[in-house]
Amino acid sequence: MNGDAFDPNCPTRQILDRIGDKWAMLILLVLAQQPRRFNDLRRRIGGISQKMLSQTLKSLERDGLIVRTAFATVPVTVEYRLAPLADGLIGMMGAITAWAEAHLGDIEAARVRYDGARDASAPRDFA
Amino acid sequence: MNGDAFDPNCPTRQILDRIGDKWAMLILLVLAQQPRRFNDLRRRIGGISQKMLSQTLKSLERDGLIVRTAFATVPVTVEYRLAPLADGLIGMMGAITAWAEAHLGDIEAARVRYDGARDASAPRDFA
DNA sequence: CCGTATCCGCATGGATACTG
DNA sequence: CAGTATCCATGCGGATACGG
């Protein structure tokens, strides 16, 4: 193994950016249940603005992770659905969700310990 | 399954934020090789500023994901190493890295297709 | 209904200088 | 060596208004 992951343009960094995107994974997670329309997605994802939904959907479509289909009804109807390429990502989201639920308690406990230690006098170092 | 993942304060969102952090996972990845000192880390992670390294290390320590040990040498020596809690995260990073390397080509191809389609006249919708 | 366009506040994060 | 403190540019992202 080389230092590959530490080049700013490496594959891992790019995917990490996608995963780190504030809304992208949440959208994929909702679409994993079933295809949805724009305002349906909007309602299901708490706190997302119209701008960010539109913007994120576009970038996901560009990356081939979702498919956008517009029907010329009046008014127009648009459906978004997962593309096959997104399957692996959804699988990882499952793992992440499971880990999160299993270990968030540990993390919160660590935070309490850390924050508490600041009062009791600076964190003990070793000699 | 309920809509749990769509509450802004749910476990998954919190972990997603951690994973999405621009530097956190990169740091964990480097520390997964072996424990490192501050400036050693700095050199190994391309493009990180002193401020962000310090800040991210502190938050990782607070979350119980890494352990900081200071030795009272002159000048002082500080070593960072992975905490057991980080193991699951490292495992997921492996999966993410593998997926990234396997599918980045597909993503880039999709982008070319998408960007190219913009010229040839707006993206074809269906009736 | 499905977006795009614009304005703008605010946090993120880099550069730089300084300390134990 | 291992940070902390400060300043400041940039850009993310929310609110709002408008268009197809």
Side-chain angles (χ1 to χ4, degrees), chain B residues 93-114:
Chain B
M93 281 305 306
I96 290 170
T97 301
W99 190 91
E101 285 169 358
H103 298 287
L104 189 66
D106 296 340
I107 290 180
E108 277 168 350
R111 285 178 185 167
V112 169
R113 244 179 293 123
Y114 184 93

Side-chain angles (χ1 to χ4, degrees), chain A residues 4-80:
Chain A
D4 153 328
F6 317 127
D7 160 21
N9 287 352
C10 75
T12 301
R13 283 251 195 138
Q14 292 195 45
I15 300 304
L16 232 32
D17 282 353
R18 252 265 103 77
I19 293 177
D21 186 288
K22 192 178 178 185
W23 301 112
M25 288 300 123
L26 253 6
I27 290 173
L28 293 184
L29 233 34
V30 175
L31 291 180
Q33 300 173 348
Q34 63 174 276
R36 300 279 182 190
R37 299 179 39 199
F38 189 89
N39 282 314
D40 194 357
L41 276 169
R42 188 154 155 51
R43 277 185 298 270
R44 280 175 189 279
I45 300 180
I48 195 170
S49 66
Q50 201 172 28
K51 177 185 177 180
M52 290 316 295
L53 179 56
S54 169
Q55 189 172 303
T56 307
L57 284 170
K58 224 187 299 182
S59 83
L60 287 171
E61 188 197 0
R62 185 171 112 98
D63 284 3
L65 293 168
I66 63 175
V67 177
R68 175 188 184 276
T69 312
F71 302 94
T73 53
V74 181
V76 65
T77 301
V78 178
E79 187 199 70
Y80 293 92

Side-chain angles (χ1 to χ4, degrees), chain A residues 26 62-63 70 111 115 126, chain B residues 13 62-63 70 111 115 126:
Chain A
L26 253 6
R62 185 171 112 98
D63 284 3
R111 286 178 184 165
D115 294 344
F126 300 104
Chain B
R13 284 252 193 138
R62 185 171 111 99
D63 284 1
R111 285 178 185 167
D115 294 344
F126 300 105

